[in-house]
Amino acid sequence: MPMPENEPLLETRGLTVRYGGVVANDDVDLTVRAGEVVGLIGPNGAGKTTLVDAVTGFAPSTGEVLLAGRRIDRLSPHRRRRAGLARTWQAGELFGDLTVADNLAVTTQRRGVGGLVADMFGRRGTAAADPALELLGLGDCAARRPDELSLGRQKLVGVARALAGGSRVVLLDEPAAGLDTDESVAFGAEVRSMVETGLGVLLIDHDMNLVLDVCDRVYVLDFGRVIACGPPDEVRRDPAVITAYLGAEAIA
Ligand SMILES: Nc1ncnc2c1ncn2[C@@H]1O[C@H](COP(=O)(O)OP(=O)(O)OP(=O)(O)O)[C@@H](O)[C@H]1O
């Protein structure tokens, strides 16, 4: 469970995204606290990926996005990343010809003169990547290539890559796609233990068991609006959610 004294790490206030006539996110208020795994579910086209895009700066939005209390909604995606907000992508393939450590290092390379100096002294990226690997139980995989690992561990490398460089909040967009039940359970356990260190996670997935088992709280989107929010057991029984999304038989 999240530590009750913890301040919100990520907040959206009135977040709205319009694509032409489509309101893909409609006045969304959402909070992720340190130590918390928060789920985001909803039918296809409900606006889940749009919310991740808007929070991370890849979709134009109105409203506010705050990271640890500081407005970041006018920052570029790159600056939001450097401020400690990271994401995974639905098609988040790893670089197959790089080691796991180098897959993390390429995301933490410094740019400009600082990066050049770091390159010259051989301290680029990799050193910062190691804690994320350890955190996700991948310490023994650093020198291996992704295709030498199980799919479940490859997915965890994708999460570690998002965390590399000191991220505080990570938005996981369908991170368990393609995993079987056992792998999904193991993945969820790693995500849970990861937030014990004080990180915050927003988890989007179609695997309802993963979301409802792993998350402290769940938001449900429908047509871009939040129609329910609460602990998994409440959301599971919410009539609006059943009507909009889950279907009575799916949660029986
Ligand atoms: N770049 C875009 N341009 C125009 N419309 C878009 C764009 N991206 C998303 N949309 C529309 O915004 C709405 C929300 O889409 P979004 O992909 O965020 O939903 P989702 O909940 O992530 O769906 P899924 O579960 O299928 O991934 C949909 O109506 C979609 O067609």
Side-chain angles (χ1 to χ4, degrees), residues 17-20 22-25 40-53 58-60 90 173-174 204 206 221 223-224 245:
V17 178
R18 291 189 175 83
Y19 291 122
V22 175
V23 185
N25 282 171
L40 182 65
I41 62 173
N44 289 334
K48 305 178 296 293
T49 295
T50 297
L51 186 126
V52 175
D53 289 343
F58 291 94
Q90 270 188 25
D173 196 356
E174 305 215 15
I204 299 172
H206 283 291
L221 281 183
F223 295 109
Y245 180 34

Side-chain angles (χ1 to χ4, degrees), residues 2-3 6-11 30-41 51-52 55 67 84-88 135-136 156 159-160 162-163 167-176 187-205 210-211 214-219:
M3 291 156 270
N6 284 357
E7 292 297 308
L9 276 183
L10 176 68
E11 288 174 274
L30 176 148
T31 303
V32 179
R33 293 176 183 276
E36 200 176 35
V37 185
V38 174
L40 182 65
I41 62 173
L51 186 126
V52 175
V55 165
L67 185 66
L85 177 69
R87 69 176 294 177
T88 61
L135 189 59
L136 286 155
L156 288 171
V159 177
L163 281 177
S167 301
R168 304 172 69 186
V169 182
V170 60
L171 285 60
L172 305 178
D173 196 356
E174 305 215 15
F187 180 90
E190 290 294 346
V191 171
R192 272 252 58 102
S193 65
M194 183 175 114
V195 299
E196 300 301 328
T197 63
L199 297 166
V201 168
L202 184 69
L203 173 66
I204 299 172
D205 212 277
L210 174 68
V211 174
V214 166
C215 291
D216 299 292
R217 292 184 300 115
V218 178
Y219 289 83

Side-chain angles (χ1 to χ4, degrees), residues 227 235-249 251:
I227 61 164
V235 163
R236 197 194 290 266
R237 291 176 179 79
D238 189 306
V241 176
I242 294 169
T243 303
Y245 180 34
L246 296 173
E249 65 285 349
I251 57 168

